[in-house]
Amino acid sequence: MEPQRPRQRAGLGLASKGGCSQRPRIRNPVERLDRQTFSFHFRNLSFANGRNCSYLCYQVERLKHCSPDSSDWGVFQNRVYPETPCHAELCFLSWFCAKKLSPYEQYHITWFLSWSPCLSCAEQVAAFLKENRNVRLSIFAARLYYFWKPECQHGLRLLHHQRAWVRLMSLREFKYCWKNFVYNQGMPFKPWKKLRKNYQFLAAKLQEILGNTMNLLKKKVFQQQFGNQHRVPLPRYRRKTYLCYQLKQLDGFTLDKGCFRNKKQRHAEIRFIDKITSLNLDPNQSYKIICYVTWSPCPTCARELVDFINGQDHLSLQIFASRLYFHWLKLFQRGLQQLQAAQVSVAVMTRSEFEDCWEEFVDNQGMPFESWDKLEQYSESISRRLRKILLPSNWNNLEDSFRDLRLGSPSPSSLRSDSR
């Protein structure tokens, strides 16, 4: 059965410059949906029938405001007027351009859609994003609209190329919508049958359409390599270095993300530096980079990271390590101290970072992060070690330590068989 959605296209009128010059009739959003409407229209069936309506739940965040106002939340539904039919996406743009948009503010908009945009809507939303560079858009769709048709695939790629973050709604997003956009009467969200299975199917289709921009980590790899246990759990395996990074603008919008592991003679940190350098970031804009690493950097990589970040005032680098690499050796301690001296934030991963890493970099198939035994205890123990290393009283002659770093460091593989 094919998905059903109104096909009228005449009179949408948003394709003009900026997507705001000619607007369909301006409608105000409703605050929330009733439970039955959400459960029926947001059900993530692979092939849906009878879902002729399209719903858009939105959240608008302004850079000057840490959290959105109550007026910046709401829901739009597609409407068909005899003279000007209007899909939910264009109803939102019409309202946003008339009531909210200012060239002097930065915006991050999040959409939760019952259907992904059709080609006509995708073209006009992409044109809007191209003209309004101060707006960033994240789209989470419950279902893909005619995903087998080339024109709909083209629309999704247009949005992706205009910096829109296009994803499928997982269990986390369904729970979020239920809590914030549904008159739930205090009742918890109850997943329907095959929610995860349908998510996996649709996510794979979307990945095929947009291209495999990043290889997600397998669940077993994440659990083994990012585990912060002091000893490798049974059955034994080698712990290697993985580095997952997110490049963000100051408004929180993710420009790029990826995952590296050591390859031949090039450590993951060096491959990460090469990647960021290749992006040719605008030095007049500010960026934040968050890195999750299984092992803290070795002395050589610490030196390279210091050289990379020095003189780049537009970059802020945060490193969260699951474990500390040879933390009892002075040379490795000096590398961490040099990073802190270069204004690089070095910290230990807590449950919050593990959860974020799980959501952003792991093929989790819609399943929530599950903590392993004593995660918080191990994290606190490793944090105490790092704090002791970074105490100013332990910084013995930073000039000498920096000179030692430039002399090079022993190969990690020569220090133990369980190499980075």
Side-chain angles (χ1 to χ4, degrees), residues 106-376:
Q106 299 287 325
Y107 300 90
H108 182 202
I109 300 171
T110 304
W111 285 354
F112 302 95
L113 294 166
S114 57
W115 284 111
S116 62
C118 65
L119 174 60
S120 180
C121 289
E123 288 176 336
Q124 296 179 71
V125 172
F128 169 81
L129 293 173
K130 184 177 181 180
E131 183 67 22
N132 297 278
R133 309 300 288 187
N134 59 325
V135 178
R136 300 290 179 264
L137 176 63
S138 298
I139 299 175
F140 294 91
R143 299 182 301 271
L144 295 178
Y145 184 58
Y146 285 107
F147 59 82
W148 56 88
K149 292 192 174 185
E151 60 269 24
C152 292
Q153 296 177 5
H154 176 65
L156 293 173
R157 284 191 285 265
L158 280 177
L159 291 168
H160 180 67
H161 292 158
Q162 285 301 328
R163 316 172 332 278
W165 191 253
V166 185
R167 292 291 183 271
L168 268 300
M169 290 179 67
S170 66
L171 178 61
R172 181 175 68 166
E173 284 76 46
F174 285 116
K175 286 182 176 179
Y176 184 84
C177 276
W178 178 267
K179 178 181 178 181
N180 294 286
F181 298 103
V182 178
Y183 291 112
N184 57 53
Q185 298 179 334
M187 299 178 63
F189 175 72
K190 293 183 178 180
W192 44 80
K193 188 178 180 180
K194 295 185 179 181
L195 184 153
R196 287 195 178 95
K197 183 177 180 180
N198 292 339
Y199 166 79
Q200 294 165 20
F201 172 80
L202 293 169
K205 292 298 180 183
L206 181 61
Q207 191 176 61
E208 290 176 10
I209 294 169
L210 299 181
N212 190 6
T213 56
M214 185 190 76
N215 291 322
L216 296 174
L217 297 175
K218 294 181 179 180
K219 291 186 289 184
K220 184 176 181 180
V221 170
F222 172 81
Q223 291 164 348
Q224 288 184 342
Q225 300 300 331
F226 275 89
N228 63 352
Q229 300 92 337
H230 295 332
R231 295 181 180 275
V232 178
L234 293 173
R236 306 297 185 191
Y237 54 87
R238 294 181 65 183
R239 283 175 163 173
K240 301 177 182 179
T241 298
Y242 284 81
L243 182 151
C244 302
Y245 75 90
Q246 297 179 78
L247 172 65
K248 295 174 175 281
Q249 294 191 179
L250 292 187
D251 61 359
F253 183 80
T254 301
L255 293 172
D256 189 40
K257 67 176 185 177
C259 187
F260 295 106
R261 58 165 292 183
N262 286 2
K263 188 175 182 179
K264 294 182 180 179
Q265 300 302 315
R266 296 185 68 76
H267 280 191
E269 294 90 338
I270 308 305
R271 298 180 66 197
F272 157 74
I273 292 172
D274 292 342
K275 171 65 176 183
I276 300 300
T277 303
S278 71
L279 297 177
N280 295 317
L281 298 174
D282 184 355
N284 297 315
Q285 295 211 23
S286 296
Y287 305 90
K288 178 172 70 173
I289 306 173
I290 300 173
C291 293
Y292 300 128
V293 292
T294 55
W295 287 112
S296 60
C298 69
T300 300
C301 289
R303 169 173 56 87
E304 294 290 342
L305 288 167
V306 168
D307 290 344
F308 165 70
I309 206 68
N310 275 341
Q312 303 206 60
D313 296 335
H314 62 298
L315 293 182
S316 168
L317 178 59
Q318 294 178 293
I319 298 175
F320 293 93
S322 175
R323 304 177 300 271
L324 299 181
Y325 191 52
F326 287 103
H327 59 87
W328 58 89
L329 297 180
K330 287 291 185 181
L331 191 61
F332 289 77
Q333 294 178 8
R334 289 169 183 168
L336 297 175
Q337 293 164 357
Q338 285 293 327
L339 285 169
Q340 179 164 285
Q343 304 302 310
V344 175
S345 174
V346 183
V348 173
M349 292 179 71
T350 64
R351 183 186 177 94
S352 176
E353 285 75 44
F354 285 118
E355 286 181 342
D356 188 56
C357 193
W358 171 266
E359 293 289 344
E360 298 292 337
F361 300 101
V362 180
D363 183 14
N364 56 55
Q365 301 179 350
M367 299 183 66
F369 172 73
E370 292 185 4
S371 173
W372 48 83
D373 186 40
K374 297 183 180 179
L375 181 153
E376 290 86 356

Side-chain angles (χ1 to χ4, degrees), residues 303 338 397-408:
R303 169 173 56 87
Q338 285 293 327
N397 197 335
L398 284 178
E399 291 184 2
D400 289 344
S401 68
F402 189 70
R403 183 164 55 251
D404 289 343
L405 284 175
R406 291 198 171 277
L407 290 174

